[in-house]
Structures are given as C-alpha cells and as structure tokens.
Amino acid sequence: MDQLVLHEDPISGNCYKIQLTASLLGLPLVRRPYDIWKGETRTPEFLTNINPFGQIPVLQVGTDSFIPESGAACFFLADGDDQKGRLIPEDRLERTQMLRWMFFEQNQHETSVAVLRSWARFTGLGNLSEEQKGRLTALGRQGERALTCMEAHMQGREWFVGKKISLADVVLFAYTQIAHEGGFEMENYPALNQWIARVKGVEGFVKMDGVD
Ligand SMILES: N[C@@H](CCC(=O)N[C@@H](CS)C(=O)NCC(=O)O)C(=O)O
C-alpha cells in the first residue's frame, strides 16, 4: 500500500480517530503534526497542498491523494480488500447502521462534546468570546442529549452495531472518552463507561496523546 501520512494536531480527537483506526488494523501511519492554535493549517501552503478548508485531520495516501474529514479517512483505511469485515460490517444493514452512528457523531456529538472540551481545555472558559458564551448552554444540552441517546442504545449491548467493534465505536469513542474535560458528568452514563473500558481492551488499541 502507498505510504499513509496523517496531517494532524495531536490534541485533536478527530485526528486520533484515524490513528486508532490504523492501529486497530495494524497499518503503519506517519504522523505529521501542526499547531492549529498557531494557524499552521491556514497557511497558503497548507490550503493549496493539503486541505483548502484549512483543517486537520487529513490523511495523505501516497503523494497525490488527500482525504480530509475524519470519518472518510477512517473509512478509507478500513475499506481495504485485506481488511474486509474487520471494522466495517459485511452485512448491509449493519454497515448502514455504522454510517448512521458516524453521521450522528459528526452532527450531534462532535459539534457539542468536542467543542465544549476544546473551549474548556484549550481556550479557557474565562477567555470565551461573547458569542461563545452565548452558545454554552445550548451546546451543553445538545451534548447531554447525544450522550443520553448513546447510553440508552448501549444498555444490553457490547458494541454500537452488531457483535463486534466497528468504525461507529471508533469515531464515537474519541471524544466520549474525554467528554468530562468539556464538563459532562460521565458518572451519569454507566453503559458508556463500560463500553469505553471495552474499547480500551481491544487488540491494537492505542491511547490518544495526553489521555490515560
Ligand atoms: N468534520 C471534521 C472536523 C475537523 C476539525 O474540526 N478540525 C479542527 C481540529 S479538531 C481544526 O482543524 N481546527 C483548526 C481550524 O479550523 O483552523 C472532521 O471530522 O475531520
């Protein structure tokens, strides 16, 4: 396979999803770090050569192919002919349910849980703009609603879809495991805590930088 390069910032859960996917699949990944707080993904070079939208993660495949969006990059890695059925279910309905949770992650979960974690941990709640302060309550409610929905789904289940880990678990795991950093009270979600421990026990699991 062509060399895989992950253009990333190690503090980003979106980037970690791709690192975790590669590790679970035993795929070698070269990590190329950027500092998003210094604007390193908004330089003319980055916009021209890596991602015109100015964000990481971007998975580079060989010299010419660049895949922004964490879910798409995870899908590319898991969709290889030699990886069939490992993180993408072979059953059509299960594969569709996997996508359902991946879209949910991007629409409901990442946009609340990850944003509040970033504001609390990196911006600092005391440094928020008026516009950000005005969004705090709504984002907290959205995140709680997403976590509550996940908790209900996981009662009596081991994995989000079917009988084994899939990309649905990988992408939801990244920010759920650190949701407490965004102020979410994770003791309210016992099934999710058991699932987090289960993911950590899977062969090939790798921790996110700076997370125990
Ligand atoms: N939907 C995208 C979100 C990517 C994203 O939000 N990237 C953030 C870091 S986690 C970023 O690059 N922020 C820097 C910027 O926008 O300048 C994904 O899942 O990959």
Side-chain angles (χ1 to χ4, degrees):
M1 194 199 229
D2 288 321
Q3 188 186 48
L4 300 166
V5 179
L6 177 60
H7 297 267
E8 64 160 2
D9 187 326
I11 65 166
S12 156
N14 285 318
C15 299
Y16 167 68
K17 292 170 198 169
I18 300 164
Q19 191 198 347
L20 177 56
T21 301
S23 183
L24 292 172
L25 296 172
L27 296 171
L29 196 61
V30 176
R31 297 172 68 188
R32 160 71 169 92
Y34 299 79
D35 187 334
I36 54 175
W37 298 102
K38 290 187 181 155
E40 289 179 0
T41 62
R42 299 298 177 111
T43 63
E45 292 75 20
F46 188 94
L47 296 172
T48 304
N49 299 323
I50 312 293
N51 180 5
F53 197 58
Q55 289 193 329
I56 44 85
V58 176
L59 179 67
Q60 180 181 347
V61 184
T63 49
D64 296 334
S65 299
F66 294 84
I67 309 173
E69 295 298 331
S70 55
C74 291
F75 183 86
F76 175 81
L77 295 178
D79 193 42
D81 286 340
D82 49 347
Q83 305 290 358
K84 285 270 178 274
R86 292 187 68 191
L87 290 176
I88 300 176
E90 299 203 82
D91 175 79
R92 181 179 176 184
L93 265 178
E94 287 188 0
R95 206 161 53 244
T96 305
Q97 291 293 355
M98 177 196 80
L99 286 175
R100 163 254 182 132
W101 285 111
M102 292 176 76
F103 294 145
F104 172 88
E105 190 271 341
Q106 286 285 293
N107 287 318
Q108 302 301 332
H109 187 277
E110 196 261 5
T111 50
S112 53
V113 175
V115 170
L116 289 182
R117 177 249 179 186
S118 171
W119 289 357
R121 171 137 184 214
F122 302 113
T123 310
L125 292 180
N127 300 322
L128 295 182
S129 67
E130 289 308 311
E131 191 263 338
Q132 288 170 323
K133 279 186 207 155
R135 294 176 59 206
L136 276 175
T137 307
L139 287 182
R141 279 206 200 105
Q142 181 186 328
E144 276 171 21
R145 188 172 160 214
L147 292 167
T148 301
C149 171
M150 291 164 62
E151 171 72 16
H153 179 75
M154 286 308 288
Q155 279 167 11
R157 291 175 200 262
E158 293 199 346
W159 306 105
F160 268 84
V161 178
K163 300 275 182 237
K164 56 184 186 166
I165 188 168
S166 74
L167 290 182
D169 300 284
V170 172
V171 301
L172 285 166
F173 174 81
Y175 284 110
T176 305
Q177 60 155 348
I178 48 176
H180 58 278
E181 294 181 9
F184 293 96
E185 294 175 5
M186 292 309 289
E187 57 276 14
N188 295 336
Y189 308 101
L192 291 185
N193 289 322
Q194 286 173 10
W195 164 75
I196 286 169
R198 201 171 295 127
V199 174
K200 288 181 177 175
V202 173
E203 190 183 341
F205 175 80
V206 64
K207 287 180 187 173
M208 182 170 163
D209 292 5
V211 176
D212 285 332

